[in-house]
């Protein structure tokens, strides 16, 4: 199907793993597969290089913002010094209410994952 993006073998997306596929960061949050657009709303870090925290949020590799992968909204703003800037956390949270990360649907056919 033309609108699908191949992710790779399902066996490679183990719990806690994030990988890139086209414009998506695709991950496995404790068995729940997700796909969100891969540019952080803060300074556009590649979220495919991020990690998944204990709550199942996607963590930005640059400044530690955390995203709810179901809604695409930021649940914790930029850290590593940025958290000291008054209002920044609230600004980015509000921004991603209006402009959340895009979400795709991860499907598996045979042993291969796709985003549609
Ligand atoms: S680029 Fe993602 S938190 Fe800064």
């Amino acid at each position: 199907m033309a609108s699908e993006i191949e992710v790779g073998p399902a066996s490679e997306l183990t719990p806690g793993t994030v990988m890139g596929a086209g414009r998506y960061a695709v991950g496995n949050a404790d068995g729940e597969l997700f796909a969100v657009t891969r540019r952080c709303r803060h300074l556009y870090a590649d979220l495919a290089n991020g990690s998944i925290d204990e709550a199942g949020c996607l963590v930005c590799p640059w400044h530690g913002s955390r995203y709810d992968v179901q809604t695409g909204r930021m649940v914790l703003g930029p850290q590593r010094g940025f958290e000291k800037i008054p209002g920044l956390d609230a600004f980015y949270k509000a921004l991603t209410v209006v402009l959340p990360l895009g979400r795709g649907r991860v499907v598996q056919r045979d042993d291969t994952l796709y985003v549609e």
Side-chain angles (χ1 to χ4, degrees):
M1 185 180 286
S3 62
E4 286 184 339
I5 299 169
E6 183 173 331
V7 178
S11 60
E12 291 183 6
L13 196 65
T14 55
T17 303
V18 184
M19 60 177 60
R23 67 189 197 103
Y24 290 99
V26 183
N28 181 335
D30 201 22
E32 293 289 324
L33 304 184
F34 66 85
V36 294
T37 48
R38 63 196 282 180
R39 292 295 164 192
C40 181
R41 289 289 190 244
H42 179 222
L43 294 175
Y44 309 109
D46 187 351
L47 296 171
N49 295 324
S51 57
I52 298 172
D53 70 9
E54 61 285 344
C57 292
L58 178 58
V59 182
C60 176
W62 284 3
H63 310 114
S65 286
R66 294 169 192 264
Y67 289 91
D68 180 326
V69 295
Q70 299 304 317
T71 64
R73 293 179 182 175
M74 192 181 280
V75 296
L76 179 70
Q79 303 295 296
R80 301 177 190 151
F82 286 101
E83 74 278 12
K84 296 175 182 166
I85 301 172
L88 194 69
D89 183 69
F91 170 78
Y92 277 104
K93 286 182 188 173
L95 174 68
T96 60
V97 169
V98 179
L99 200 61
L101 297 177
R103 275 95 62 216
R105 194 167 76 94
V106 181
V107 296
Q108 181 174 347
R109 284 199 306 279
D110 299 321
D111 292 328
T112 304
L113 298 174
Y114 300 86
V115 178
E116 49 177 46

